[in-house]
Amino acid sequence: MLDMEQKLKIFKALSNETRFLIFKNVFTGGYTCSLDKKQPGVEVNPIATCVSTIAEHFNFSLPTISAHIKELKEAKIITVEKKGNKVYIEPNIETIREMAGCFQTLVSNFDENRELFFGDTLTVQ
Amino acid sequence: MLDMEQKLKIFKALSNETRFLIFKNVFTGGYTCSLDKKQPGVEVNPIATCVSTIAEHFNFSLPTISAHIKELKEAKIITVEKKGNKVYIEPNIETIREMAGCFQTLVSNFDENRELFFGDTLTVQ
DNA sequence: ATTCTATTTAGCTAATTTGCTAATTTCATC
DNA sequence: GATGAAATTAGCAAATTAGCTAAATAGAAT
C-alpha cells in the first residue's frame, strides 16, 4: 500500500505537463520499447527508450529532461536501468495499479455510504 | 472525460499535504457532514463542513486554508456552496470516479498489451 | 590512450508556490 | 443602521520549482 508521502510524490510528479507527457509516452507508446533489449529482432516503437530519446520529443535541454525523469523515478512511476552508457526507462505498472486501486476504493466506499444513508444505488447518467 | 489540463490541475491540487488532507477529510469523515442541510435533525460528523471548521484542524491561518480550498474547487475535486455567510464544502465524487477510470484504463491497456505480446496474463503476487 | 556518446551534477536565474497579516466583503443579528 | 461572524482579497516574504549552460562522469569505440 502506498503511504501518504508516496502519494504526494506521485501527484507532484504528475502535476507538471512535461513529466505528465513523459509518463504518458512511457506507458503507452513507450511500453513496447522496453522490449528492445529482450527481443532485439523485433521492430519497436522508438519513443521513450532512453533519456536522450525522450528529450528529442521536447524543446527542453537534456539536463532538464533528465531531472524530470529522476523525479518520475523517485515517485516510482517509472524504473530506470543503466545498460552500458544508456539509461533505459520502463513503466512501473504496479504504482499505477495501486493508484487505480486507491481511487476505486474511495469511489466504492463513497457509493456504499450513500447506499447506507439513502437506501439507493447511484446510476451514473 | 477529463482533458490533460484538468488532470494536471487535479494532480497539482493533491500534491500538497494540506490540500491532500482536506481532500481526504471531505471524502471520508466529511462526507456525512454534507447531510446537515438536508437532514437537519441528524447528528453529523463536524469535520469539513465549512471553511473555518476545516481550518480548525490545521495550524494554518484561515486565508491560507481558504486558498487551498479554492484550489481544490478549481480542480473540481470539491464543490462549494454558499449558504448565508457560510460556505459548505462537499466532495465531487464524479471527478474521483473519472480519475479511478483513467488509472484503471491505463492498467487494463497495459495488461492487455502484455498478453498480446507475451501470451500470458499477469498474476499479481 | 583518446575520443565520442549518454547522462548527471553544479551553479545560476526567473517564475511559482505557500505561508503570513491587514483590509475588505458579505451576510446575519441585534 | 451598527456590530459580529465567515470568508475572500491584497500585498508581501520565504521557499521551492523549472529552466538554462558549463562541467564532470561513465562507458563505448576507435
Side-chain angles (χ1 to χ4, degrees):
Chain A
M1 251 286 282
L2 303 170
D3 62 12
M4 185 175 71
E5 193 184 330
Q6 184 64 20
K7 288 197 195 97
L8 293 176
K9 273 188 199 170
I10 293 166
F11 288 132
K12 166 136 188 347
L14 296 178
S15 71
N16 171 275
E17 181 172 353
T18 303
R19 283 192 301 265
F20 181 84
L21 290 172
I22 294 171
F23 154 73
K24 186 179 147 187
N25 285 343
V26 169
F27 273 80
T28 56
Y31 172 58
T32 51
C33 126
S34 62
L35 295 176
D36 71 354
K37 58 184 184 298
K38 291 164 191 157
Q39 307 190 345
V42 177
E43 190 68 37
V44 293
N45 186 334
I47 291 170
T49 314
C50 58
V51 178
S52 51
T53 307
I54 292 175
E56 281 167 19
H57 293 81
F58 295 94
N59 283 325
F60 294 122
S61 69
L62 194 61
T64 293
I65 297 300
S66 174
H68 281 316
I69 287 171
K70 187 181 179 190
E71 188 161 343
L72 287 167
K73 183 192 74 186
E74 279 164 5
K76 297 193 168 65
I77 291 168
I78 57 173
T79 59
V80 303
E81 194 185 352
K82 193 164 188 178
K83 285 247 175 179
N85 63 349
K86 283 189 186 175
V87 166
Y88 286 86
I89 285 114
E90 291 191 57
N92 185 353
I93 193 67
E94 289 318 315
T95 296
I96 304 308
R97 210 186 294 278
E98 291 259 23
M99 290 300 283
C102 290
F103 278 111
Q104 187 49 55
T105 299
L106 196 52
V107 169
S108 300
N109 288 346
F110 191 93
D111 289 342
E112 195 181 326
N113 283 338
R114 177 195 292 264
E115 200 178 329
L116 287 174
F117 274 113
F118 297 115
D120 63 359
T121 46
L122 183 72
T123 29
V124 185
Q125 48 287 60
Chain B
M1 250 289 281
L2 304 171
D3 61 13
M4 185 175 69
E5 194 185 328
Q6 183 64 22
K7 287 198 197 94
L8 293 176
K9 273 187 199 170
I10 293 166
F11 288 132
K12 163 129 189 356
L14 296 178
S15 71
N16 171 276
E17 181 173 352
T18 302
R19 285 191 300 266
F20 181 83
L21 290 172
I22 294 172
F23 153 72
K24 186 179 148 189
N25 285 343
V26 170
F27 274 79
T28 54
Y31 171 60
T32 50
C33 126
S34 63
L35 295 177
D36 71 354
K37 60 185 182 300
K38 290 164 191 157
Q39 307 190 344
V42 178
E43 191 68 35
V44 293
N45 187 332
I47 291 172
T49 313
C50 58
V51 179
S52 51
T53 307
I54 291 174
E56 282 167 18
H57 294 80
F58 295 94
N59 283 324
F60 293 122
S61 71
L62 192 61
T64 294
I65 298 301
S66 174
H68 281 315
I69 288 171
K70 187 180 179 190
E71 188 161 344
L72 288 167
K73 182 191 75 188
E74 278 163 8
K76 297 194 169 65
I77 292 168
I78 57 173
T79 60
V80 304
E81 194 186 353
K82 193 165 186 177
K83 285 245 174 180
N85 63 349
K86 282 189 187 175
V87 167
Y88 285 86
I89 286 116
E90 290 192 56
N92 186 351
I93 193 67
E94 288 320 313
T95 296
I96 303 308
R97 212 186 293 281
E98 291 262 21
M99 290 301 283
C102 292
F103 279 110
Q104 186 50 53
T105 298
L106 196 53
V107 169
S108 299
N109 289 346
F110 191 93
D111 289 341
E112 194 181 328
N113 284 338
R114 177 196 293 261
E115 199 176 330
L116 287 172
F117 273 114
F118 296 113
D120 65 1
T121 45
L122 181 71
T123 29
V124 185
Q125 50 284 62

